[in-house]
Amino acid sequence: MLRAARLTLLALTALLAVGAATASAAPRMPIGFFDDPTFRWSADRAQNLQRAAADGASIIHTTASWASLAPTKPADATSGDDPAYHLADLDELVAQATANGMRVMIDISGSPKWANGNTTPNHMPKKLSDLTAFARMLASRYDGLGGKGYVGLWSVWNEPNLQQFLTPQYVGKKIVSAANYAKLYQAAYAGIKAGSAGAQVAIGETSAQGRDKPSKGSSQTVSPGTFAKLLSQQKGIKFDAWAHHPYPTAPSAKPLEKVRYPNVTLSTLPKFESDLHKWFHRTVPIWITEYGHETKPGEPHGVSTATQAAYAKQALGIAKKDPNIQMFIWFTFRDSSTNPWQSGLESTSGAAKPAYAAFGAIARLTDGVTTNIRAGRAPTATVFFPFLSYFNGAGTVCGMTYTVRDGNQFVANGQPAVPLKANESLQIPLSFTPKKGHTYTVTVVANDPHGHTETRIASLKAI
């Protein structure tokens, strides 16, 4: 049943790909959802993942809550098989997302009592090496070689510029959360890279708002712009992207509402990108790892379902036009009684809201990967095939047919056969010479020895 549903989706994707290839060669990015109650803990989680894939998703963002996955201290922190670890639902999500042709992104967050001095998960661990060991265990467990699937996209901590998730934010009037987060991030980064050297790791996961000064009687916060600036002053930080949550400031606010920088919603994201370039001395890719609009009546101050559909379309359009944005994750997929947010594209009954169709129409024509290639040299494209990886181990030779277009113009095609990598990718040699300044659309229909087929699209920018 799962395979039939997936192949039906692939046939639809292939048809859509033809339309996309004959239009403009717009840059592409992974599109997906973040909704652990729906995808990990719901009784109908398998069907929910299928519905997400059918709506154009190719990535599922999930949380690895250290406090929940390791409630007691493991005897062997480097082994996921240690009985202290509770990994069954995460293992299942990684496997089932892959079976539906979706990659997985994991955010490591929240320290357990045994590591932080018997307090709440928003406290720093007493020993950063404990966090490193946990991160290494996860990354090695999902390295694509041990039979548990592959996870190559990671981030560290959730909204560390809010006291709700990381405390303290201030000592007196001095902001200390950025420096503390740098220690957390570097500890987790070291573990992730030790467990899976080719993994990509995002920094930040910042909330859109903060006050930048301590206040009595409320939770302490720091704006994302100030937080990033202070973080850039820490030494030795390496990362692949900045993860951010550019939510509007109120449930009824519009995607491009005006806010005062250094708060960062979609309207001030370009300024933030410019500052990141200045602070880190390079172009910093942006992963939007949470975004959404809540609806009435579940959220009394939310928007109508029709307005949510319009806002989803607008937000995706904004992201699609921004070359620095390389991922877009909607929070959440389905409303549920266990999630206080009512921003799902489906209601609690599973009925689709208007946003389901609006989101999917854009997602299916935007999803993919965009990479830079060198002009004047026949390129090799790295394209991910999680569905094929679900059925095949690393080294399995897969055949394919690819087509390259420059806008509406046919450029090249070919039928190479190459081995599947542990990171779910095929390294595809393309038989054409790219011209500087051109962006090419590559549509690949790949197949494995067992008859499974998967279609993927990539954009290649010649520089």
Side-chain angles (χ1 to χ4, degrees):
M1 182 68 181
L2 177 61
R3 181 187 172 200
R6 179 65 189 154
L7 292 177
T8 300
L9 172 61
L10 287 166
L12 173 62
T13 305
L15 291 172
L16 289 165
V18 173
T22 57
S24 63
R28 295 178 172 272
M29 60 182 168
I31 306 290
F33 298 102
F34 178 16
D35 190 346
D36 284 345
T38 295
F39 299 138
R40 285 172 67 176
W41 307 316
S42 170
D44 51 1
R45 55 192 179 275
Q47 294 89 337
N48 292 336
L49 283 168
Q50 290 178 21
R51 288 277 292 168
D55 205 36
S58 70
I59 186 168
I60 296 295
H61 176 193
T62 190
T63 296
S65 168
W66 186 17
S68 298
L69 298 180
T72 59
K73 186 176 183 178
D76 182 0
T78 63
S79 172
D81 294 327
D82 188 289
Y85 286 127
H86 298 185
L87 299 170
D89 66 304
L90 186 58
D91 286 347
E92 180 183 321
L93 174 67
V94 172
Q96 290 305 307
T98 304
N100 281 280
M102 295 180 288
R103 300 165 72 195
V104 175
M105 175 191 166
I106 289 180
D107 170 35
I108 297 173
S109 191
S111 61
K113 289 180 179 294
W114 61 263
N116 64 22
N118 199 35
T119 186
T120 51
N122 60 340
H123 285 76
M124 297 275 291
K126 298 296 183 180
K127 294 169 57 180
L128 289 168
S129 59
D130 287 334
L131 175 57
T132 300
F134 177 69
R136 180 171 184 170
M137 179 278 297
L138 284 178
S140 61
R141 188 175 182 85
Y142 305 121
D143 65 357
L145 298 172
K148 298 294 185 181
Y150 180 73
V151 176
L153 301 168
W154 299 81
S155 61
V156 180
W157 230 254
N158 178 61
E159 299 187 344
N161 57 321
L162 305 184
Q163 183 182 356
Q164 179 182 358
F165 300 105
L166 181 61
T167 191
Q169 291 287 312
Y170 298 85
V171 171
K173 294 183 179 180
K174 181 182 178 181
I175 297 171
V176 297
S177 54
N180 285 340
Y181 174 69
K183 296 174 184 177
L184 282 172
Y185 174 83
Q186 288 173 304
Y189 179 90
I192 293 167
K193 285 294 188 176
S196 182
Q200 291 184 289
V201 188
I203 200 168
E205 285 287 356
T206 37
S207 170
Q209 303 177 70
R211 285 185 295 271
D212 288 346
K213 60 181 180 180
S215 58
K216 295 181 179 180
S218 61
S219 184
Q220 307 302 312
T221 62
V222 176
S223 72
T226 299
F227 189 84
K229 183 178 181 179
L230 293 173
L231 192 58
S232 72
Q233 297 168 7
Q234 306 301 310
K235 295 181 179 180
I237 296 178
K238 298 178 181 179
F239 61 93
D240 294 292
W242 188 280
H244 185 59
H245 308 164
Y247 288 110
T249 61
S252 61
K254 299 178 180 180
L256 286 177
E257 64 162 335
K258 293 183 179 180
V259 298
R260 180 175 295 178
Y261 190 79
N263 292 316
V264 181
T265 62
L266 288 177
S267 65
T268 52
L269 191 55
K271 167 63 174 170
F272 187 52
E273 293 169 4
S274 176
D275 279 347
L276 288 174
H277 187 282
K278 177 177 63 177
W279 296 329
F280 291 101
H281 311 291
R282 65 182 176 95
T283 298
V284 175
I286 301 294
W287 293 359
I288 294 179
T289 50
E290 285 189 35
Y291 184 84
H293 290 271
E294 295 189 84
T295 59
K296 301 175 180 178
E299 169 49 63
H301 301 289
V303 299
S304 69
T305 56
T307 299
Q308 183 199 39
Y311 286 175
K313 182 178 180 180
Q314 183 182 3
L316 273 171
I318 292 166
K320 180 179 172 66
K321 292 177 182 177
D322 186 333
N324 292 326
I325 297 176
Q326 297 185 2
M327 183 187 298
F328 189 100
I329 303 293
W330 185 274
F331 183 88
T332 60
F333 180 70
R334 181 175 177 178
D335 294 345
S336 67
S337 58
T338 58
N339 187 344
W341 278 73
Q342 308 300 312
S343 53
L345 304 188
E346 294 184 343
S347 66
T348 53
S349 69
K353 300 178 186 178
Y356 181 90
F359 186 94
I362 298 178
R364 284 188 289 265
L365 297 179
T366 304
D367 188 88
V369 293
T370 298
T371 55
N372 293 333
I373 57 174
R374 184 173 296 182
R377 179 183 300 179
T380 297
T382 299
V383 184
F384 296 93
F385 292 86
F387 178 65
L388 295 184
S389 296
Y390 178 75
F391 297 97
N392 301 277
T396 303
V397 175
C398 296
M400 72 195 70
T401 297
Y402 73 77
T403 303
V404 182
R405 284 185 168 83
D406 183 354
N408 293 326
Q409 182 179 359
F410 171 83
V411 174
N413 60 11
Q415 293 184 318
V418 297
L420 190 64
K421 299 291 185 180
N423 69 353
E424 303 179 334
S425 76
L426 294 174
Q427 311 292 308
I428 305 170
L430 304 175
S431 59
F432 78 104
T433 303
K435 299 177 182 179
K436 187 174 182 178
H438 288 234
T439 298
Y440 300 88
T441 299
V442 183
T443 304
V444 185
V445 182
N447 58 274
D448 70 7
H450 311 292
H452 303 108
T453 303
E454 187 170 11
T455 299
R456 292 294 170 192
I457 305 176
S459 287
L460 306 179
K461 299 173 68 174
I463 57 176

